[in-house]
Amino acid sequence: MRSDTTFERLIKLWISVWDLVLEEKRHLETVTALLQKIVFEERGYPRFKNWPEICRLGETEHLLMVAEATVDVSKDDERVQQIIAA
């Protein structure tokens, strides 16, 4: 687990949401992915793939499905974490 205090996490959340408002990225998916990333930072990122959900994602978001299917979830990389959170 990370050693961040609750106050630090709250500040990170506030700054992230504020950036979304300022950059006019108020899409529900973006906000949800950002909040999910904060949860994963606290509790850890999943190290497995949920194949039924990845296949269902392909029905509407083909390129995101390809990204999810080919990403190496064992890597501890910022881009991998963003894809997982999305």
Side-chain angles (χ1 to χ4, degrees):
M1 285 196 165
R2 299 176 62 111
S3 62
D4 293 344
T5 65
T6 302
F7 180 73
E8 289 172 338
R9 286 186 307 215
L10 183 61
I11 293 297
K12 285 181 183 179
L13 174 62
W14 185 84
I15 290 170
S16 299
V17 172
W18 185 253
D19 285 341
L20 290 172
V21 171
L22 288 179
E23 296 176 14
E24 297 182 9
K25 294 181 180 175
R26 292 175 240 174
H27 298 92
L28 181 59
E29 294 85 0
T30 306
V31 174
T32 304
L34 191 67
L35 293 173
Q36 186 63 55
K37 183 179 177 197
I38 292 170
V39 170
F40 284 153
E41 285 177 350
E42 175 65 22
R43 300 198 175 173
Y45 283 83
R47 297 293 176 208
F48 62 91
K49 293 183 181 182
N50 187 341
W51 287 107
E53 289 299 319
I54 292 173
C55 292
R56 191 165 42 159
L57 179 63
E59 296 171 4
T60 57
E61 300 290 335
H62 183 71
L63 294 177
L64 185 56
M65 179 201 69
V66 171
E68 286 281 342
T70 58
V71 71
D72 182 6
V73 293
S74 64
K75 292 175 94 177
D76 192 23
D77 182 17
E78 179 70 23
R79 292 182 192 249
V80 171
Q81 293 173 348
Q82 288 175 347
I83 291 172
I84 292 171

